């Protein structure tokens, strides 16, 4: 995966930069490796700093309005105080740690509609910042996340879309200022009672937090609204758990057999 562009801060005849990823596919907790390649232009140039950042689109609420904006959530410095001679070629290798809470963008080879993720190269030149372009990165689920997602498929849930929401989830040790919601349409047997189900993962080195939000349909004699479920397990426990059975049991509860507000850990978004 390569992008090449002239550095705007230097004008015509300035150096150009390519960012080359060894592999654009990664998982939360892994490391993206590659090189930033700088090619000298027609005259000497000084670059104060070369930075890489992971950027994704986040929905932000402002009063009664919602809007999307690109949010940087991880950054490394690749090089500082770099002198580039005319026609000189420089290579800056990098290792970029992917945070464990990084949103997933690909499941079983399918891109999740609504998600964007990229590695941005920024260059500081004489105090000005060249914001750079995004080099796409595909984030696949961790093994424990994939085990949960497989249960949704086995039960007949249909993926609808995914997005990132600004804010924090009550009751989980969230580090990033946003969280991902993966939206599903429920299986046929629950369609009359639940309009959609949203899944959020919050991952740390030791545990996976699975947060469910079911949008319950209101009826003539029954109040609608949202029901929440929080599950917290070690990654090994997640893989040993029959998530299809657990999800089915929770769906039975929230679809009307009980008026429970959750299962396992209780709480709600934000």
């Amino acid at each position: 995966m390569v992008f090449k562009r002239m550095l705007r801060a230097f004008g015509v005849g300035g150096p150009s930069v390519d960012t080359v990823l060894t592999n654009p596919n990664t998982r939360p907790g892994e490391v993206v490796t590659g090189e930033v390649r700088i090619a000298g232009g027609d005259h000497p140039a000084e670059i104060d700093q070369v930075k890489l950042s992971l950027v994704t689109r986040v929905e932000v609420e402002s009063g009664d309005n919602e809007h999307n904006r690109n949010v940087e959530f991880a950054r490394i410095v690749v090089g500082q105080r770099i002198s580039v001679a005319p026609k000189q070629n420089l290579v800056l290798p990098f290792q970029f740690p992917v945070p464990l809470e990084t949103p997933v963008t690909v499941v079983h080879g399918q891109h999740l509609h609504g998600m964007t993720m990229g590695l941005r190269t920024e260059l500081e030149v004489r105090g000005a910042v060249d914001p750079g372009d995004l080099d796409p990165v595909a984030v696949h689920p961790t093994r424990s996340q994939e085990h949960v997602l497989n249960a949704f498929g086995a039960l007949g849930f249909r993926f609808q879309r995914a997005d990132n929401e600004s804010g924090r989830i009550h009751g989980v040790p969230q580090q990033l200022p946003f969280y991902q919601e993966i939206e599903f349409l429920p299986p046929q047997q629950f369609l009359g009672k639940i309009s959609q189900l949203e899944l959020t993962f919050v991952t740390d080195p030791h545990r996976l937090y699975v947060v469910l939000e079911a949008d319950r349909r209101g009826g003539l004699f029954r109040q609608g609204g949202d029901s929440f479920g929080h599950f917290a397990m070690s990654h090994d426990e997640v893989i040993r758990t029959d998530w299809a059975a657990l999800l089915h049991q929770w769906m039975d509860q929230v679809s009307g057999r009980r008026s429970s507000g959750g299962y396992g850990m209780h709480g709600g978004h934000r």
Side-chain angles (χ1 to χ4, degrees), residues 57 105 110-116 159-163 181:
R57 191 167 58 217
T105 66
Q110 298 298 310
H111 175 77
L112 297 185
H113 173 68
M115 294 304 303
T116 63
F159 169 74
Q160 198 168 22
R161 67 183 308 276
D163 64 5
E181 288 186 337

Side-chain angles (χ1 to χ4, degrees), residues 77 82 87 117 184 218 228 260 265:
V77 175
I82 300 167
K87 308 304 180 186
M117 183 72 60
F184 294 92
F228 300 92
S260 167
M265 294 172 56

Side-chain angles (χ1 to χ4, degrees), residues 59 152 156-163 165 181-187 190-200 211-218 225-229 250-251 254-255 269:
E59 187 174 282
F152 277 79
F157 283 89
R158 288 169 292 152
F159 169 74
Q160 198 168 22
R161 67 183 308 276
D163 64 5
E165 301 275 345
E181 288 186 337
I182 305 173
E183 299 176 8
F184 294 92
L185 292 176
F190 295 110
L191 265 179
K193 299 171 182 176
I194 296 174
S195 58
Q196 71 176 20
L197 184 68
E198 295 172 347
L199 164 67
T200 295
V211 183
L212 304 176
E213 180 178 350
D215 184 4
R216 295 190 300 177
R217 293 183 186 275
D226 293 338
S227 291
F228 300 92
W250 185 79
M251 291 288 286
V254 301
S255 64
H269 286 209

Side-chain angles (χ1 to χ4, degrees), residues 31-34 52 76 93-97:
V31 175
V32 172
T33 62
L52 293 176
I76 63 170
F94 65 82
Q95 294 185 320
F96 196 112

Side-chain angles (χ1 to χ4, degrees), residues 8 52 72 96 102 138 149 158 168-169 185 231 238 262:
R8 288 187 285 273
L52 293 176
E72 171 194 299
F96 196 112
T102 299
L149 288 164
R158 288 169 292 152
R168 297 190 177 273
I169 302 172
L185 292 176
F231 304 84
V238 170

Side-chain angles (χ1 to χ4, degrees), residues 1 49-50 61 88 91 122 169 174 177 252 260 267:
M1 194 69 67
Q49 198 170 63
V50 180
E61 292 185 11
Q88 181 184 12
V91 175
E122 281 186 24
I169 302 172
Q174 181 184 340
D252 279 344
S260 167

